[in-house]
Amino acid sequence: DASVIATNPAAMRGLDGRQFQADLSVISFSADFEGTGSYLGGLGGQIGGGNGGDAGKIAPVPAAYFHVPFGAEDNMHFGISLTAPFGFATEYDRDWVGRYNAVKTELEAVDLGFSFSYDVNPYVSFGGSVFVEHLSIELSNAIDFGTILYTGGAAALGFRPGNADGFSTIKGSNNEIGFTVGALLSPSEDTHFGIAYRSKVEHDISGGDAYFDVPGNAAAVLAQVRPGWFVPTKGSATVTLPETLTFSLTHRINERWTVMGDVSRTAWAPAFDSVTVDFESAQDDTVLEFGYDDSTFASIGADYKLSDAVTLRGGLAYDETPTSYQHRDVRVPDQTRKWLSLGLSWTPNEKTEYNFGYTHLFVNDSRVSTSSATANHIFGGYDVGGDIFAASINYKF
């Protein structure tokens, strides 16, 4: 469908005339933690608080596409796309046991793309797109000022791990440009091979904001122990979203059956190894360690044309996580997933098509063992699950 405008512009050859498509995917995911936490790596007693509630959410993700062919034989194509290719979000109760590691995490990338393709002949097409990507990030967590002052020489004033909690929020956004190039090779009218490359996008975020809520009993002492720290300030960071290479195949067996599959490789390493937040104040940099590895996504599927108006479809996928036990944290307690997808298309007339789909994610349980900046340790496991409901309308004019 018209989503190829963003994923592989060369495949616009398969779109029938001028058309507009609007999509809406509703992602429902859950992340329930069960475990314990300890201060100063186990030397300062157990951290109080609950398990944080369900850190997942229900997130609507829209997309839109426009396509028009042109040229003497309609052998050239222009497309516009608005998509959200990357995003994740978790949010826990503010007083949960892992509050020093994370409370809220939100990353969202939105792309506005402009695509062009050229059909060399009915069997070979090439295409590319340029997109403007808007990235926004928000990170928040509690700060254990009791530990900071206890280890900083203020123990005689009564400071102990956990008795002077504050809060930190960091926000930032940036616009950057990336590109996608692709090819579509068709040895016959029933068989199509696609290859597409999406570039990495390096976001240099400047002018971000950092806010700190410091408890009253710690503010005066911090001014002496850490002068210029934990004050509202601007900051900067570089966040690199990864490049992706995708191979795809579609083959029409007969008038009713079509099979397809694809394999994608996402180069998370070293793009998303770590993110350093550089504060304009006297405060030392904050380094967020992600340690992501490259990951693979592979899927197979089939369409069955039940009638001229109705097509049924289904598919399976393997979606490898870029995280690992050594680096997994509570902000993104991700794990490898298996997808089961079902859907249908309804074409009541020549101009209009409606698509509906449902995907259930079978997610392996994930374990975490990680420490905060003040060496507070959290250990436990997650029960993670997800469902995706999607619908689209395509109108030809």
Side-chain angles (χ1 to χ4, degrees):
D1 64 6
S3 64
V4 298
I5 294 170
T7 56
N8 185 355
M12 288 191 288
R13 167 160 49 94
L15 300 181
D16 184 15
R18 294 177 298 176
Q19 54 185 267
F20 172 79
Q21 181 173 311
D23 299 357
L24 179 64
S25 300
V26 179
I27 302 172
S28 173
F29 77 96
S30 60
D32 295 300
F33 174 79
E34 185 173 347
T36 60
S38 58
Y39 290 103
L40 286 174
L43 301 178
Q46 295 295 303
I47 300 175
N51 284 331
D54 184 356
K57 65 184 296 185
I58 297 175
V61 181
Y65 310 91
F66 170 78
H67 167 261
V68 58
F70 64 99
E73 299 179 357
D74 284 349
N75 64 337
M76 291 182 283
H77 307 263
F78 174 74
I80 302 174
S81 61
L82 183 64
T83 61
F86 293 99
F88 61 79
T90 51
E91 186 167 7
Y92 302 87
D93 299 336
R94 283 186 61 141
D95 61 349
W96 81 294
V97 67
R99 58 190 176 273
Y100 304 117
N101 296 78
V103 171
K104 182 177 181 180
T105 303
E106 189 169 73
L107 180 150
E108 183 181 83
V110 178
D111 289 3
L112 175 62
F114 301 90
S115 302
F116 170 80
S117 69
Y118 175 70
D119 303 334
V120 179
N121 54 47
Y123 308 102
V124 178
S125 299
F126 299 101
S129 68
V130 176
F131 57 84
V132 179
E133 183 170 84
H134 176 75
L135 176 69
S136 60
I137 298 176
E138 180 177 349
L139 306 172
S140 71
N141 56 268
I143 300 179
D144 182 10
F145 288 109
T147 291
I148 292 173
L149 295 175
Y150 175 77
T151 58
L157 299 177
F159 290 101
R160 296 289 186 275
N163 73 351
D165 279 5
F167 204 75
S168 166
T169 301
I170 299 173
K171 297 181 179 180
S173 62
N174 178 251
N175 297 320
E176 194 53 73
I177 295 175
F179 68 90
T180 301
V181 293
L184 183 67
L185 309 176
S186 306
S188 74
E189 64 179 12
D190 296 324
T191 304
H192 309 279
F193 296 93
I195 179 172
Y197 169 81
R198 175 191 165 93
S199 72
K200 68 178 181 180
V201 182
E202 186 173 290
H203 289 272
D204 293 319
I205 300 174
S206 59
D209 295 299
Y211 308 95
F212 300 95
D213 180 12
V214 182
N217 64 332
V221 182
L222 276 171
Q224 300 296 321
V225 177
R226 300 278 179 90
W229 285 45
F230 304 113
V231 296
T233 183
K234 296 291 185 179
S236 60
T238 298
V239 178
T240 303
L241 297 181
E243 59 187 347
T244 303
L245 182 64
T246 302
F247 297 92
S248 59
L249 166 67
T250 299
H251 177 66
R252 186 175 64 175
I253 299 174
N254 52 43
E255 291 299 321
R256 293 191 178 272
W257 284 99
T258 301
V259 295
M260 64 283 292
D262 70 1
V263 177
S264 296
R265 186 71 172 170
T266 302
W268 287 103
F272 220 68
D273 188 46
S274 65
V275 174
T276 300
V277 180
D278 181 9
F279 299 104
E280 290 186 2
S281 66
Q283 186 166 335
D284 285 350
D285 296 348
T286 293
V287 180
L288 305 173
E289 298 287 353
F290 290 98
Y292 279 15
D293 298 317
D294 294 350
S295 62
T296 299
F297 176 92
S299 70
I300 57 172
D303 285 358
Y304 177 73
K305 191 171 183 179
L306 186 65
S307 66
D308 289 341
V310 177
T311 298
L312 306 178
R313 55 177 50 93
L316 302 171
Y318 173 83
D319 191 3
E320 183 183 24
T321 181
T323 67
S324 61
Y325 178 71
Q326 291 79 10
H327 297 101
R328 185 180 297 118
D329 64 13
V330 299
R331 292 194 182 278
V332 190
D334 192 39
Q335 183 56 286
T336 295
R337 299 163 291 276
K338 299 178 180 67
W339 299 44
L340 171 63
S341 298
L342 301 171
L344 63 87
S345 294
W346 175 45
T347 310
N349 54 61
E350 293 181 353
K351 291 187 175 182
T352 309
E353 179 178 281
Y354 300 93
N355 291 283
F356 305 93
Y358 166 71
T359 294
H360 179 70
L361 304 180
F362 298 90
V363 188
N364 298 338
D365 293 340
S366 61
R367 306 288 298 176
V368 294
S369 178
T370 183
S371 296
S372 69
T374 49
N376 298 333
H377 189 78
I378 184 170
F379 173 82
Y382 278 88
D383 182 10
V384 181
D387 296 278
I388 304 171
F389 301 86
S392 72
I393 179 172
N394 184 293
Y395 180 72
K396 300 177 177 65
F397 55 95

